[in-house]
Amino acid sequence: WVRELGETFYDGQGRALRTLGAVQDITEHKLAQDAMQTSSQIVGAVLDTTPVLIAYLDTDMNFVRVNAAYAAADRKDPGYYVGKNHFDLFPHADNEVIFRRVAETGVTHVAVAKPFKYEHNPERGVTHWDWTLTPIKDGAGRVTGLVLSLTNVTDRIQALELAQSREREMREMNESLDAVRSPGELCD
């Protein structure tokens, strides 16, 4: 691969007299560029095929990129989010404090089964999320972005709550049965 630059000089009748120029070998640059593009395509494919919801934000909490799972969870196209502020779309004062702290301190935050109520979509009810907010740092250790990864664990929480409710019901039924049994009576 080469890059060529040149200039042609003409006489008074418009005939080419000479051309001066330079040719530069850019093979290494082109191969590095191709490798970077391939790497970017691989990362994009990994992001878009994982079921985990992933968003990359700048330090002002604006979306830079989201994966397909993140967009699908809100029935949107991934491009919808780019440039929008996370907390304009999903207002939550406590979470905003956490996001800002991670951006300032560079310390990862992990939340387990955290409840979330959609301010703009109350019909969705309360959902529960395992999520991690990880700072991305430059070579000098400064936070340059944030990766938010989320897993909806609402079904797991609801199943756990149902199991606990059934366990309480069983315990109460057993206590009621024990109360009505005579002391010498055995149960089959």
Side-chain angles (χ1 to χ4, degrees):
W1 295 93
V2 295
R3 176 183 303 145
E4 298 176 328
L5 297 170
E7 182 178 357
T8 303
F9 297 91
Y10 301 91
D11 66 15
Q13 286 75 38
R15 292 181 296 223
L17 295 174
R18 68 182 178 277
T19 299
L20 293 175
V23 177
Q24 180 183 12
D25 181 351
I26 60 165
T27 303
E28 286 185 35
H29 175 76
K30 177 67 172 145
L31 293 175
Q33 190 177 29
D34 290 350
M36 188 176 294
Q37 183 176 1
T38 299
S39 177
S40 178
Q41 290 170 340
I42 291 169
V43 169
V46 168
L47 282 176
D48 285 336
T49 58
T50 184
V52 175
L53 284 64
I54 299 175
Y56 181 71
L57 303 122
D58 65 22
T59 55
D60 292 322
M61 310 314 145
N62 297 309
F63 287 97
V64 176
R65 179 176 182 173
V66 302
N67 71 345
Y70 190 99
D74 216 21
R75 297 178 202 94
K76 303 273 192 239
D77 181 81
Y80 166 81
Y81 296 92
V82 177
K84 291 184 173 75
N85 186 275
H86 182 278
F87 294 102
D88 289 344
L89 298 178
F90 307 107
H92 194 283
D94 293 342
N95 286 351
E96 188 168 358
V97 169
I98 292 167
F99 277 53
R100 299 231 179 264
R101 184 172 49 240
V102 171
E104 290 169 10
T105 66
V107 177
T108 297
H109 178 84
V110 177
V112 177
K114 185 164 184 174
F116 182 78
K117 189 173 188 174
Y118 290 85
E119 187 107 350
H120 298 305
N121 302 90
E123 72 279 359
R124 292 177 81 170
V126 175
T127 55
H128 296 267
W129 298 87
D130 285 352
W131 59 271
T132 303
L133 188 64
T134 306
I136 302 299
K137 300 175 183 178
D138 64 14
R142 290 182 301 261
V143 176
T144 59
L146 303 166
V147 174
L148 174 63
S149 59
L150 305 106
T151 303
N152 188 336
V153 294
T154 305
D155 291 343
R156 184 181 79 202
I157 296 302
Q158 289 172 342
L160 181 61
E161 288 171 351
L162 180 61
Q164 290 170 340
S165 173
R166 296 283 162 85
E167 185 179 332
R168 276 192 304 278
E169 289 172 8
M170 292 297 291
R171 194 172 36 255
E172 289 169 4
M173 286 180 10
N174 283 337
E175 289 171 1
S176 295
L177 286 172
D178 287 345
V180 295
R181 283 191 215 131
S182 62
E185 204 176 322
L186 293 175
C187 285
D188 293 327

PDB file of all heavy atoms in Angstrom, residues 78-112:
ATOM      1  N   PRO A  78     -30.846   0.528  18.815  1.00  0.00           N
ATOM      2  CA  PRO A  78     -29.645   0.976  19.529  1.00  0.00           C
ATOM      3  C   PRO A  78     -29.265   2.429  19.240  1.00  0.00           C
ATOM      4  O   PRO A  78     -28.806   3.143  20.130  1.00  0.00           O
ATOM      5  CB  PRO A  78     -28.560   0.015  19.042  1.00  0.00           C
ATOM      6  CG  PRO A  78     -29.300  -1.235  18.700  1.00  0.00           C
ATOM      7  CD  PRO A  78     -30.622  -0.763  18.133  1.00  0.00           C
ATOM      8  N   GLY A  79     -29.489   2.899  18.040  1.00  0.00           N
ATOM      9  CA  GLY A  79     -29.148   4.270  17.683  1.00  0.00           C
ATOM     10  C   GLY A  79     -29.974   5.316  18.418  1.00  0.00           C
ATOM     11  O   GLY A  79     -29.557   6.472  18.529  1.00  0.00           O
ATOM     12  N   TYR A  80     -31.123   4.918  18.936  1.00  0.00           N
ATOM     13  CA  TYR A  80     -32.002   5.842  19.653  1.00  0.00           C
ATOM     14  C   TYR A  80     -31.283   6.488  20.844  1.00  0.00           C
ATOM     15  O   TYR A  80     -31.495   7.651  21.153  1.00  0.00           O
ATOM     16  CB  TYR A  80     -33.250   5.093  20.137  1.00  0.00           C
ATOM     17  CG  TYR A  80     -34.068   5.842  21.158  1.00  0.00           C
ATOM     18  CD1 TYR A  80     -34.967   6.825  20.771  1.00  0.00           C
ATOM     19  CD2 TYR A  80     -33.924   5.568  22.518  1.00  0.00           C
ATOM     20  CE1 TYR A  80     -35.714   7.526  21.714  1.00  0.00           C
ATOM     21  CE2 TYR A  80     -34.666   6.259  23.468  1.00  0.00           C
ATOM     22  CZ  TYR A  80     -35.554   7.236  23.059  1.00  0.00           C
ATOM     23  OH  TYR A  80     -36.282   7.924  23.997  1.00  0.00           O
ATOM     24  N   TYR A  81     -30.430   5.725  21.500  1.00  0.00           N
ATOM     25  CA  TYR A  81     -29.811   6.174  22.746  1.00  0.00           C
ATOM     26  C   TYR A  81     -28.626   7.115  22.550  1.00  0.00           C
ATOM     27  O   TYR A  81     -28.352   7.927  23.423  1.00  0.00           O
ATOM     28  CB  TYR A  81     -29.341   4.956  23.554  1.00  0.00           C
ATOM     29  CG  TYR A  81     -30.480   4.086  23.994  1.00  0.00           C
ATOM     30  CD1 TYR A  81     -30.898   3.016  23.226  1.00  0.00           C
ATOM     31  CD2 TYR A  81     -31.162   4.360  25.168  1.00  0.00           C
ATOM     32  CE1 TYR A  81     -31.966   2.236  23.618  1.00  0.00           C
ATOM     33  CE2 TYR A  81     -32.231   3.580  25.570  1.00  0.00           C
ATOM     34  CZ  TYR A  81     -32.621   2.514  24.785  1.00  0.00           C
ATOM     35  OH  TYR A  81     -33.681   1.748  25.171  1.00  0.00           O
ATOM     36  N   VAL A  82     -27.919   6.964  21.431  1.00  0.00           N
ATOM     37  CA  VAL A  82     -26.659   7.675  21.234  1.00  0.00           C
ATOM     38  C   VAL A  82     -26.846   9.187  21.402  1.00  0.00           C
ATOM     39  O   VAL A  82     -27.709   9.795  20.776  1.00  0.00           O
ATOM     40  CB  VAL A  82     -26.054   7.351  19.851  1.00  0.00           C
ATOM     41  CG1 VAL A  82     -24.783   8.159  19.607  1.00  0.00           C
ATOM     42  CG2 VAL A  82     -25.762   5.850  19.749  1.00  0.00           C
ATOM     43  N   GLY A  83     -26.048   9.757  22.312  1.00  0.00           N
ATOM     44  CA  GLY A  83     -26.076  11.190  22.568  1.00  0.00           C
ATOM     45  C   GLY A  83     -27.085  11.628  23.619  1.00  0.00           C
ATOM     46  O   GLY A  83     -27.035  12.752  24.100  1.00  0.00           O
ATOM     47  N   LYS A  84     -28.004  10.729  24.008  1.00  0.00           N
ATOM     48  CA  LYS A  84     -29.003  11.082  25.021  1.00  0.00           C
ATOM     49  C   LYS A  84     -28.425  10.819  26.414  1.00  0.00           C
ATOM     50  O   LYS A  84     -27.628   9.919  26.613  1.00  0.00           O
ATOM     51  CB  LYS A  84     -30.276  10.265  24.820  1.00  0.00           C
ATOM     52  CG  LYS A  84     -31.039  10.655  23.562  1.00  0.00           C
ATOM     53  CD  LYS A  84     -32.343   9.879  23.461  1.00  0.00           C
ATOM     54  CE  LYS A  84     -33.195  10.359  22.317  1.00  0.00           C
ATOM     55  NZ  LYS A  84     -32.759   9.957  21.014  1.00  0.00           N
ATOM     56  N   ASN A  85     -28.886  11.592  27.374  1.00  0.00           N
ATOM     57  CA  ASN A  85     -28.424  11.433  28.744  1.00  0.00           C
ATOM     58  C   ASN A  85     -29.199  10.306  29.433  1.00  0.00           C
ATOM     59  O   ASN A  85     -30.428  10.247  29.349  1.00  0.00           O
ATOM     60  CB  ASN A  85     -28.593  12.740  29.523  1.00  0.00           C
ATOM     61  CG  ASN A  85     -27.979  12.645  30.891  1.00  0.00           C
ATOM     62  OD1 ASN A  85     -28.612  12.167  31.833  1.00  0.00           O
ATOM     63  ND2 ASN A  85     -26.740  13.088  31.012  1.00  0.00           N
ATOM     64  N   HIS A  86     -28.475   9.442  30.107  1.00  0.00           N
ATOM     65  CA  HIS A  86     -29.079   8.293  30.797  1.00  0.00           C
ATOM     66  C   HIS A  86     -30.190   8.728  31.745  1.00  0.00           C
ATOM     67  O   HIS A  86     -31.255   8.132  31.793  1.00  0.00           O
ATOM     68  CB  HIS A  86     -27.999   7.522  31.556  1.00  0.00           C
ATOM     69  CG  HIS A  86     -28.497   6.301  32.246  1.00  0.00           C
ATOM     70  ND1 HIS A  86     -29.116   6.349  33.477  1.00  0.00           N
ATOM     71  CD2 HIS A  86     -28.491   5.004  31.874  1.00  0.00           C
ATOM     72  CE1 HIS A  86     -29.464   5.120  33.830  1.00  0.00           C
ATOM     73  NE2 HIS A  86     -29.093   4.290  32.872  1.00  0.00           N
ATOM     74  N   PHE A  87     -29.937   9.802  32.509  1.00  0.00           N
ATOM     75  CA  PHE A  87     -30.897  10.185  33.540  1.00  0.00           C
ATOM     76  C   PHE A  87     -32.038  11.051  33.019  1.00  0.00           C
ATOM     77  O   PHE A  87     -33.017  11.251  33.715  1.00  0.00           O
ATOM     78  CB  PHE A  87     -30.173  10.790  34.741  1.00  0.00           C
ATOM     79  CG  PHE A  87     -29.320   9.750  35.402  1.00  0.00           C
ATOM     80  CD1 PHE A  87     -27.954   9.717  35.197  1.00  0.00           C
ATOM     81  CD2 PHE A  87     -29.900   8.746  36.149  1.00  0.00           C
ATOM     82  CE1 PHE A  87     -27.183   8.710  35.767  1.00  0.00           C
ATOM     83  CE2 PHE A  87     -29.147   7.736  36.719  1.00  0.00           C
ATOM     84  CZ  PHE A  87     -27.777   7.717  36.523  1.00  0.00           C
ATOM     85  N   ASP A  88     -31.931  11.524  31.782  1.00  0.00           N
ATOM     86  CA  ASP A  88     -33.095  12.123  31.133  1.00  0.00           C
ATOM     87  C   ASP A  88     -34.077  11.012  30.743  1.00  0.00           C
ATOM     88  O   ASP A  88     -35.285  11.189  30.823  1.00  0.00           O
ATOM     89  CB  ASP A  88     -32.697  12.918  29.883  1.00  0.00           C
ATOM     90  CG  ASP A  88     -31.971  14.206  30.221  1.00  0.00           C
ATOM     91  OD1 ASP A  88     -32.042  14.654  31.398  1.00  0.00           O
ATOM     92  OD2 ASP A  88     -31.329  14.773  29.314  1.00  0.00           O
ATOM     93  N   LEU A  89     -33.532   9.877  30.327  1.00  0.00           N
ATOM     94  CA  LEU A  89     -34.374   8.746  29.924  1.00  0.00           C
ATOM     95  C   LEU A  89     -34.847   7.924  31.118  1.00  0.00           C
ATOM     96  O   LEU A  89     -35.972   7.426  31.123  1.00  0.00           O
ATOM     97  CB  LEU A  89     -33.617   7.841  28.944  1.00  0.00           C
ATOM     98  CG  LEU A  89     -33.206   8.464  27.620  1.00  0.00           C
ATOM     99  CD1 LEU A  89     -32.422   7.468  26.789  1.00  0.00           C
ATOM    100  CD2 LEU A  89     -34.420   8.968  26.858  1.00  0.00           C
ATOM    101  N   PHE A  90     -33.981   7.741  32.095  1.00  0.00           N
ATOM    102  CA  PHE A  90     -34.283   6.904  33.253  1.00  0.00           C
ATOM    103  C   PHE A  90     -33.978   7.673  34.543  1.00  0.00           C
ATOM    104  O   PHE A  90     -32.982   7.413  35.210  1.00  0.00           O
ATOM    105  CB  PHE A  90     -33.463   5.608  33.215  1.00  0.00           C
ATOM    106  CG  PHE A  90     -33.580   4.850  31.926  1.00  0.00           C
ATOM    107  CD1 PHE A  90     -32.527   4.820  31.013  1.00  0.00           C
ATOM    108  CD2 PHE A  90     -34.745   4.177  31.603  1.00  0.00           C
ATOM    109  CE1 PHE A  90     -32.634   4.128  29.822  1.00  0.00           C
ATOM    110  CE2 PHE A  90     -34.856   3.487  30.421  1.00  0.00           C
ATOM    111  CZ  PHE A  90     -33.801   3.461  29.517  1.00  0.00           C
ATOM    112  N   PRO A  91     -34.825   8.637  34.898  1.00  0.00           N
ATOM    113  CA  PRO A  91     -34.549   9.443  36.091  1.00  0.00           C
ATOM    114  C   PRO A  91     -34.539   8.594  37.358  1.00  0.00           C
ATOM    115  O   PRO A  91     -35.433   7.776  37.562  1.00  0.00           O
ATOM    116  CB  PRO A  91     -35.709  10.442  36.132  1.00  0.00           C
ATOM    117  CG  PRO A  91     -36.550  10.213  34.946  1.00  0.00           C
ATOM    118  CD  PRO A  91     -36.074   8.985  34.253  1.00  0.00           C
ATOM    119  N   HIS A  92     -33.516   8.759  38.147  1.00  0.00           N
ATOM    120  CA  HIS A  92     -33.403   8.024  39.406  1.00  0.00           C
ATOM    121  C   HIS A  92     -32.290   8.690  40.216  1.00  0.00           C
ATOM    122  O   HIS A  92     -31.101   8.489  39.936  1.00  0.00           O
ATOM    123  CB  HIS A  92     -33.085   6.555  39.134  1.00  0.00           C
ATOM    124  CG  HIS A  92     -33.273   5.679  40.324  1.00  0.00           C
ATOM    125  ND1 HIS A  92     -32.371   5.628  41.360  1.00  0.00           N
ATOM    126  CD2 HIS A  92     -34.271   4.816  40.638  1.00  0.00           C
ATOM    127  CE1 HIS A  92     -32.799   4.748  42.260  1.00  0.00           C
ATOM    128  NE2 HIS A  92     -33.951   4.252  41.845  1.00  0.00           N
ATOM    129  N   ALA A  93     -32.671   9.503  41.186  1.00  0.00           N
ATOM    130  CA  ALA A  93     -31.712  10.323  41.931  1.00  0.00           C
ATOM    131  C   ALA A  93     -30.627   9.495  42.606  1.00  0.00           C
ATOM    132  O   ALA A  93     -29.441   9.851  42.546  1.00  0.00           O
ATOM    133  CB  ALA A  93     -32.441  11.178  42.966  1.00  0.00           C
ATOM    134  N   ASP A  94     -31.001   8.371  43.249  1.00  0.00           N
ATOM    135  CA  ASP A  94     -30.003   7.553  43.942  1.00  0.00           C
ATOM    136  C   ASP A  94     -28.988   6.968  42.962  1.00  0.00           C
ATOM    137  O   ASP A  94     -27.787   6.955  43.226  1.00  0.00           O
ATOM    138  CB  ASP A  94     -30.674   6.412  44.720  1.00  0.00           C
ATOM    139  CG  ASP A  94     -31.508   6.921  45.891  1.00  0.00           C
ATOM    140  OD1 ASP A  94     -31.301   8.080  46.320  1.00  0.00           O
ATOM    141  OD2 ASP A  94     -32.366   6.156  46.373  1.00  0.00           O
ATOM    142  N   ASN A  95     -29.488   6.469  41.824  1.00  0.00           N
ATOM    143  CA  ASN A  95     -28.575   5.903  40.827  1.00  0.00           C
ATOM    144  C   ASN A  95     -27.669   6.982  40.233  1.00  0.00           C
ATOM    145  O   ASN A  95     -26.495   6.730  39.958  1.00  0.00           O
ATOM    146  CB  ASN A  95     -29.342   5.187  39.720  1.00  0.00           C
ATOM    147  CG  ASN A  95     -29.898   3.856  40.174  1.00  0.00           C
ATOM    148  OD1 ASN A  95     -29.593   3.375  41.260  1.00  0.00           O
ATOM    149  ND2 ASN A  95     -30.729   3.262  39.353  1.00  0.00           N
ATOM    150  N   GLU A  96     -28.204   8.180  40.052  1.00  0.00           N
ATOM    151  CA  GLU A  96     -27.380   9.252  39.495  1.00  0.00           C
ATOM    152  C   GLU A  96     -26.213   9.561  40.432  1.00  0.00           C
ATOM    153  O   GLU A  96     -25.085   9.783  39.976  1.00  0.00           O
ATOM    154  CB  GLU A  96     -28.209  10.503  39.229  1.00  0.00           C
ATOM    155  CG  GLU A  96     -27.426  11.556  38.479  1.00  0.00           C
ATOM    156  CD  GLU A  96     -28.279  12.682  37.935  1.00  0.00           C
ATOM    157  OE1 GLU A  96     -29.515  12.668  38.097  1.00  0.00           O
ATOM    158  OE2 GLU A  96     -27.679  13.596  37.333  1.00  0.00           O
ATOM    159  N   VAL A  97     -26.455   9.554  41.721  1.00  0.00           N
ATOM    160  CA  VAL A  97     -25.374   9.770  42.695  1.00  0.00           C
ATOM    161  C   VAL A  97     -24.321   8.674  42.542  1.00  0.00           C
ATOM    162  O   VAL A  97     -23.113   8.948  42.535  1.00  0.00           O
ATOM    163  CB  VAL A  97     -25.936   9.804  44.142  1.00  0.00           C
ATOM    164  CG1 VAL A  97     -24.818   9.746  45.175  1.00  0.00           C
ATOM    165  CG2 VAL A  97     -26.792  11.052  44.345  1.00  0.00           C
ATOM    166  N   ILE A  98     -24.767   7.432  42.393  1.00  0.00           N
ATOM    167  CA  ILE A  98     -23.831   6.305  42.231  1.00  0.00           C
ATOM    168  C   ILE A  98     -23.012   6.475  40.951  1.00  0.00           C
ATOM    169  O   ILE A  98     -21.783   6.324  40.963  1.00  0.00           O
ATOM    170  CB  ILE A  98     -24.602   4.966  42.212  1.00  0.00           C
ATOM    171  CG1 ILE A  98     -25.201   4.688  43.595  1.00  0.00           C
ATOM    172  CG2 ILE A  98     -23.692   3.833  41.762  1.00  0.00           C
ATOM    173  CD1 ILE A  98     -26.228   3.571  43.620  1.00  0.00           C
ATOM    174  N   PHE A  99     -23.674   6.791  39.838  1.00  0.00           N
ATOM    175  CA  PHE A  99     -22.968   6.947  38.562  1.00  0.00           C
ATOM    176  C   PHE A  99     -21.916   8.056  38.661  1.00  0.00           C
ATOM    177  O   PHE A  99     -20.784   7.894  38.208  1.00  0.00           O
ATOM    178  CB  PHE A  99     -23.965   7.283  37.443  1.00  0.00           C
ATOM    179  CG  PHE A  99     -24.666   6.096  36.852  1.00  0.00           C
ATOM    180  CD1 PHE A  99     -25.338   5.172  37.643  1.00  0.00           C
ATOM    181  CD2 PHE A  99     -24.690   5.909  35.487  1.00  0.00           C
ATOM    182  CE1 PHE A  99     -26.001   4.098  37.088  1.00  0.00           C
ATOM    183  CE2 PHE A  99     -25.355   4.832  34.909  1.00  0.00           C
ATOM    184  CZ  PHE A  99     -26.010   3.921  35.720  1.00  0.00           C
ATOM    185  N   ARG A 100     -22.280   9.171  39.254  1.00  0.00           N
ATOM    186  CA  ARG A 100     -21.341  10.298  39.364  1.00  0.00           C
ATOM    187  C   ARG A 100     -20.153   9.923  40.265  1.00  0.00           C
ATOM    188  O   ARG A 100     -19.016  10.301  39.984  1.00  0.00           O
ATOM    189  CB  ARG A 100     -22.049  11.537  39.874  1.00  0.00           C
ATOM    190  CG  ARG A 100     -23.157  11.981  38.936  1.00  0.00           C
ATOM    191  CD  ARG A 100     -23.109  13.422  38.541  1.00  0.00           C
ATOM    192  NE  ARG A 100     -24.206  13.723  37.625  1.00  0.00           N
ATOM    193  CZ  ARG A 100     -24.093  13.732  36.300  1.00  0.00           C
ATOM    194  NH1 ARG A 100     -22.943  13.452  35.742  1.00  0.00           N
ATOM    195  NH2 ARG A 100     -25.126  14.016  35.532  1.00  0.00           N
ATOM    196  N   ARG A 101     -20.429   9.174  41.333  1.00  0.00           N
ATOM    197  CA  ARG A 101     -19.353   8.752  42.232  1.00  0.00           C
ATOM    198  C   ARG A 101     -18.372   7.828  41.493  1.00  0.00           C
ATOM    199  O   ARG A 101     -17.150   7.972  41.636  1.00  0.00           O
ATOM    200  CB  ARG A 101     -19.924   8.065  43.464  1.00  0.00           C
ATOM    201  CG  ARG A 101     -18.844   7.694  44.484  1.00  0.00           C
ATOM    202  CD  ARG A 101     -19.377   7.175  45.805  1.00  0.00           C
ATOM    203  NE  ARG A 101     -20.368   6.136  45.647  1.00  0.00           N
ATOM    204  CZ  ARG A 101     -21.624   6.211  46.092  1.00  0.00           C
ATOM    205  NH1 ARG A 101     -22.052   7.275  46.731  1.00  0.00           N
ATOM    206  NH2 ARG A 101     -22.456   5.202  45.918  1.00  0.00           N
ATOM    207  N   VAL A 102     -18.887   6.895  40.698  1.00  0.00           N
ATOM    208  CA  VAL A 102     -18.005   6.004  39.940  1.00  0.00           C
ATOM    209  C   VAL A 102     -17.166   6.813  38.949  1.00  0.00           C
ATOM    210  O   VAL A 102     -15.967   6.573  38.806  1.00  0.00           O
ATOM    211  CB  VAL A 102     -18.819   4.901  39.218  1.00  0.00           C
ATOM    212  CG1 VAL A 102     -17.945   4.112  38.248  1.00  0.00           C
ATOM    213  CG2 VAL A 102     -19.451   3.957  40.242  1.00  0.00           C
ATOM    214  N   ALA A 103     -17.781   7.791  38.273  1.00  0.00           N
ATOM    215  CA  ALA A 103     -17.044   8.627  37.320  1.00  0.00           C
ATOM    216  C   ALA A 103     -15.957   9.438  38.022  1.00  0.00           C
ATOM    217  O   ALA A 103     -14.875   9.646  37.470  1.00  0.00           O
ATOM    218  CB  ALA A 103     -18.004   9.548  36.576  1.00  0.00           C
ATOM    219  N   GLU A 104     -16.220   9.879  39.243  1.00  0.00           N
ATOM    220  CA  GLU A 104     -15.251  10.703  39.982  1.00  0.00           C
ATOM    221  C   GLU A 104     -14.161   9.877  40.643  1.00  0.00           C
ATOM    222  O   GLU A 104     -12.998  10.272  40.657  1.00  0.00           O
ATOM    223  CB  GLU A 104     -15.980  11.531  41.040  1.00  0.00           C
ATOM    224  CG  GLU A 104     -16.839  12.632  40.453  1.00  0.00           C
ATOM    225  CD  GLU A 104     -17.779  13.279  41.474  1.00  0.00           C
ATOM    226  OE1 GLU A 104     -17.638  13.016  42.690  1.00  0.00           O
ATOM    227  OE2 GLU A 104     -18.668  14.042  41.039  1.00  0.00           O
ATOM    228  N   THR A 105     -14.531   8.731  41.213  1.00  0.00           N
ATOM    229  CA  THR A 105     -13.558   7.946  41.992  1.00  0.00           C
ATOM    230  C   THR A 105     -12.868   6.848  41.195  1.00  0.00           C
ATOM    231  O   THR A 105     -11.801   6.391  41.575  1.00  0.00           O
ATOM    232  CB  THR A 105     -14.244   7.272  43.199  1.00  0.00           C
ATOM    233  OG1 THR A 105     -15.183   6.292  42.725  1.00  0.00           O
ATOM    234  CG2 THR A 105     -14.928   8.297  44.089  1.00  0.00           C
ATOM    235  N   GLY A 106     -13.520   6.396  40.111  1.00  0.00           N
ATOM    236  CA  GLY A 106     -12.948   5.293  39.343  1.00  0.00           C
ATOM    237  C   GLY A 106     -13.127   3.942  40.000  1.00  0.00           C
ATOM    238  O   GLY A 106     -12.474   2.974  39.630  1.00  0.00           O
ATOM    239  N   VAL A 107     -14.040   3.858  40.979  1.00  0.00           N
ATOM    240  CA  VAL A 107     -14.287   2.597  41.690  1.00  0.00           C
ATOM    241  C   VAL A 107     -15.581   1.970  41.167  1.00  0.00           C
ATOM    242  O   VAL A 107     -16.630   2.620  41.133  1.00  0.00           O
ATOM    243  CB  VAL A 107     -14.382   2.844  43.209  1.00  0.00           C
ATOM    244  CG1 VAL A 107     -14.715   1.553  43.952  1.00  0.00           C
ATOM    245  CG2 VAL A 107     -13.077   3.447  43.729  1.00  0.00           C
ATOM    246  N   THR A 108     -15.510   0.708  40.771  1.00  0.00           N
ATOM    247  CA  THR A 108     -16.656  -0.029  40.244  1.00  0.00           C
ATOM    248  C   THR A 108     -17.758  -0.141  41.291  1.00  0.00           C
ATOM    249  O   THR A 108     -17.485  -0.300  42.478  1.00  0.00           O
ATOM    250  CB  THR A 108     -16.217  -1.440  39.805  1.00  0.00           C
ATOM    251  OG1 THR A 108     -15.270  -1.305  38.747  1.00  0.00           O
ATOM    252  CG2 THR A 108     -17.381  -2.285  39.338  1.00  0.00           C
ATOM    253  N   HIS A 109     -19.003  -0.091  40.844  1.00  0.00           N
ATOM    254  CA  HIS A 109     -20.165  -0.277  41.720  1.00  0.00           C
ATOM    255  C   HIS A 109     -20.928  -1.511  41.253  1.00  0.00           C
ATOM    256  O   HIS A 109     -21.169  -1.694  40.061  1.00  0.00           O
ATOM    257  CB  HIS A 109     -21.092   0.941  41.671  1.00  0.00           C
ATOM    258  CG  HIS A 109     -22.312   0.775  42.520  1.00  0.00           C
ATOM    259  ND1 HIS A 109     -22.313   1.051  43.875  1.00  0.00           N
ATOM    260  CD2 HIS A 109     -23.555   0.314  42.226  1.00  0.00           C
ATOM    261  CE1 HIS A 109     -23.513   0.787  44.360  1.00  0.00           C
ATOM    262  NE2 HIS A 109     -24.291   0.346  43.384  1.00  0.00           N
ATOM    263  N   VAL A 110     -21.318  -2.353  42.210  1.00  0.00           N
ATOM    264  CA  VAL A 110     -22.108  -3.553  41.920  1.00  0.00           C
ATOM    265  C   VAL A 110     -23.388  -3.500  42.737  1.00  0.00           C
ATOM    266  O   VAL A 110     -23.346  -3.239  43.939  1.00  0.00           O
ATOM    267  CB  VAL A 110     -21.314  -4.837  42.273  1.00  0.00           C
ATOM    268  CG1 VAL A 110     -22.162  -6.077  42.048  1.00  0.00           C
ATOM    269  CG2 VAL A 110     -20.015  -4.904  41.476  1.00  0.00           C
ATOM    270  N   ALA A 111     -24.516  -3.738  42.077  1.00  0.00           N
ATOM    271  CA  ALA A 111     -25.818  -3.784  42.751  1.00  0.00           C
ATOM    272  C   ALA A 111     -26.448  -5.146  42.474  1.00  0.00           C
ATOM    273  O   ALA A 111     -26.382  -5.650  41.358  1.00  0.00           O
ATOM    274  CB  ALA A 111     -26.729  -2.672  42.250  1.00  0.00           C
ATOM    275  N   VAL A 112     -27.056  -5.727  43.504  1.00  0.00           N
ATOM    276  CA  VAL A 112     -27.679  -7.034  43.373  1.00  0.00           C
ATOM    277  C   VAL A 112     -29.174  -6.902  43.632  1.00  0.00           C
ATOM    278  O   VAL A 112     -29.587  -6.388  44.678  1.00  0.00           O
ATOM    279  CB  VAL A 112     -27.044  -8.056  44.347  1.00  0.00           C
ATOM    280  CG1 VAL A 112     -27.732  -9.403  44.258  1.00  0.00           C
ATOM    281  CG2 VAL A 112     -25.548  -8.187  44.077  1.00  0.00           C
TER     282      VAL A 112
END
